[in-house]
Amino acid sequence: MLFGREQFAVKTEMSGEVIDKLYAKELVPTPIEEFEKLPEDEKKLRKPYPFNQRTYEAAPGIICDQDVAVPMRDGVILYADIFRPADSTAKVPVILAWSNYGKRPNEYRPDELNAYTPGVPKGSISDLAKFEAADPEFWVPSGYVVANVGIRGIGYWADKIPDFSKVVVPAYVTAGWNHFHLRGSVNGWRKIASEQKWLRAHREFEWPDFYSSTYLPELKMFFDRYCKGIRNGWESTPRVRIEVQDRFDITVKELSERCAIARTTFYRFFEDTYDLLERLEQYLLGELVLYRPLMNGSTTGLQSSGVAGKPYESIRHFFEMGIRLRKLLQPIMSENGDPYFKDRLARRLREELGAMMSDEGVPNDELRSYYVAAIAASYIGLLAHAATTNREDSLGIGQIVFIANSMRVAYFRSSNSAPAISDRQLFGNSKSSI
């Protein structure tokens, strides 16, 4: 059973081998009024998309013919919701949405989630748009009809594999580096017989790319050229465009424009963005020093700041530097930042925490190794959170240091092998205690 749905196996040949391919019975379309009265377990077997043949005004200037019967060549009847201009009977091109996500927007969801699509700013898509499909409120006023079709049962059968040699119409194919359809999109573009085909490989998720203010007008330009015959210069679009999946998510051109400098000026100092990133990370690693023993004649930043050899003050100094350098740390410590930097910083922190505990007389045993690993990981997490949180939402430095120091304090307060240590050594000149 799959979420309560009955499963069945179909013998299928793949690469010369016969396997059992599992399918689950389709969800049963159910009127919303009935759906809402069902027990929770029963709802898992239904989808609240009511069958309701009608014609209505979906939005000003947009008519929807709902649940229109569309006969297939084999006699099967499919149903479609068709959005069309209200003030025109002229023939216009149709954008066909063909997917396994039904034919309706999710009208049964709460209002704030109705038109929600991951990664797309709220308000960018109207309530008329079904998931991963053309938005009627954009395309109908632009002179198109949008047809959302409820397709028949889905699956990968041999008769659904396209004959690429017969695909001769113009094609604009997009492929996301982070999507499991990447290979299929690229191979489809390569194999189709069309002489007018374009490929754009991007590093965004499919939803914000499809609905973006940059590429939505570009898609309209493509449709206008080949569905309406408008000569708009589309042919000058490069046949293949590839965005580099760069760990430093900015190009030299974008960086130069933001800094109001010429690209020649950038290249006078750096070879490329990787060189810039490497030097930036070296600088940050040099500044984000957690602890150095107090040594005669030392000229380190910690020594000159008066915190060398003082664990609590060193911890505070580390996070103060992190907050001071937050603008530089934001792109590197974010979720899409550079994991290598985090790894290098974590290794360094473990070494410095070991030195700190040695100076405090902590025996170098298995318990200490666990604490060092845990504290280093927590410091990386705290630093990343502090660097990527809006300044107005961030905790004060005292609160951050209190959290950072709490595991160190817990060790000395709970471990039988920990040496005796005073509150002043644990908290420096701070009034905090736990």
Side-chain angles (χ1 to χ4, degrees), residues 6 32 35 109 144 151 177 343 401:
E6 183 180 343
I32 293 176
F35 178 84
R109 299 170 75 181
Y144 291 85
I151 66 175
W177 290 120
D343 288 344
V401 174

Side-chain angles (χ1 to χ4, degrees), residues 90-380:
K91 291 185 177 181
V92 296
V94 177
I95 299 175
L96 181 66
W98 187 272
S99 73
N100 59 320
Y101 294 118
K103 61 181 183 293
R104 300 275 163 79
N106 293 321
E107 66 261 44
Y108 64 92
R109 299 170 75 181
D111 290 342
E112 68 273 11
L113 297 177
N114 188 33
Y116 171 71
T117 298
V120 180
K122 186 177 181 180
S124 299
I125 309 171
S126 77
D127 292 349
L128 303 184
K130 80 160 197 163
F131 186 59
E132 292 191 353
D135 185 351
E137 282 199 17
F138 176 83
W139 289 103
V140 174
S142 299
Y144 291 85
V145 164
V146 173
N148 298 333
V149 182
I151 66 175
R152 68 179 81 198
I154 60 172
Y156 296 98
W157 298 302
D159 61 356
K160 289 196 173 186
I161 298 175
D163 183 347
F164 292 105
S165 66
K166 294 180 179 179
V167 181
V168 295
V169 297
Y172 174 17
V173 179
T174 60
W177 290 120
N178 53 13
H179 202 284
F180 61 87
H181 286 153
L182 170 65
R183 182 179 180 183
S185 297
V186 175
N187 281 340
W189 169 82
R190 290 176 59 236
K191 293 178 179 180
I192 60 176
S194 175
E195 295 182 358
Q196 298 167 310
K197 57 182 180 179
W198 286 262
L199 174 70
R200 180 171 61 82
H202 60 84
R203 54 189 174 182
E204 186 55 275
F205 286 109
E206 63 268 36
W207 311 291
D209 181 83
F210 179 68
Y211 294 108
S212 76
S213 59
T214 299
Y215 295 114
L216 195 58
E218 183 175 291
L219 181 59
K220 180 180 179 299
M221 187 178 180
F222 172 78
F223 283 155
D224 284 350
R225 177 67 187 96
Y226 295 109
C227 295
K228 295 184 177 182
I230 298 173
R231 298 191 181 278
N232 52 20
W234 172 264
E235 288 84 352
S236 64
T237 304
R239 291 300 183 106
V240 177
R241 287 174 288 171
I242 297 178
E243 287 187 344
V244 177
Q245 191 72 4
D246 199 336
R247 66 173 179 164
F248 196 33
D249 195 19
I250 190 170
T251 65
V252 173
K253 180 177 181 293
E254 293 168 335
L255 188 63
S256 300
E257 289 174 351
R258 292 187 192 182
C259 298
I261 62 172
R263 274 183 280 181
T264 52
T265 303
F266 175 91
Y267 285 117
R268 189 181 304 166
F269 298 96
F270 307 101
E271 293 181 7
D272 50 29
T273 54
Y274 289 99
D275 182 32
L276 170 61
L277 180 62
E278 183 64 29
R279 295 200 211 178
L280 173 60
E281 292 183 353
Q282 288 294 342
Y283 167 74
L284 290 171
L285 287 170
E287 293 295 316
L288 292 172
V289 177
L290 174 65
Y291 181 78
R292 287 289 185 269
L294 183 61
M295 299 173 62
N296 293 332
S298 173
T299 58
T300 66
L302 286 179
Q303 177 72 26
S304 60
S305 64
V307 300
K310 301 177 181 179
Y312 178 84
E313 287 79 0
S314 296
I315 295 170
R316 184 180 184 91
H317 182 268
F318 174 80
F319 283 99
E320 284 177 342
M321 289 300 297
I323 298 300
R324 190 179 307 166
L325 298 168
R326 67 190 306 159
K327 287 188 176 181
L328 296 177
L329 286 167
Q330 279 175 355
I332 298 175
M333 299 292 284
S334 67
E335 289 185 7
N336 297 321
D338 184 5
Y340 303 105
F341 174 79
K342 296 178 184 178
D343 288 344
R344 291 161 69 187
L345 183 57
R347 286 196 300 270
R348 237 264 314 281
L349 284 177
R350 289 193 291 269
E351 293 174 2
E352 294 173 358
L353 284 164
M356 179 188 294
M357 287 192 163
S358 292
D359 281 0
E360 293 181 295
V362 175
N364 190 7
D365 55 15
E366 191 68 15
L367 179 62
R368 172 173 136 172
S369 69
Y370 273 86
Y371 264 95
V372 165
I375 293 173
S378 69
Y379 283 14
I380 293 291

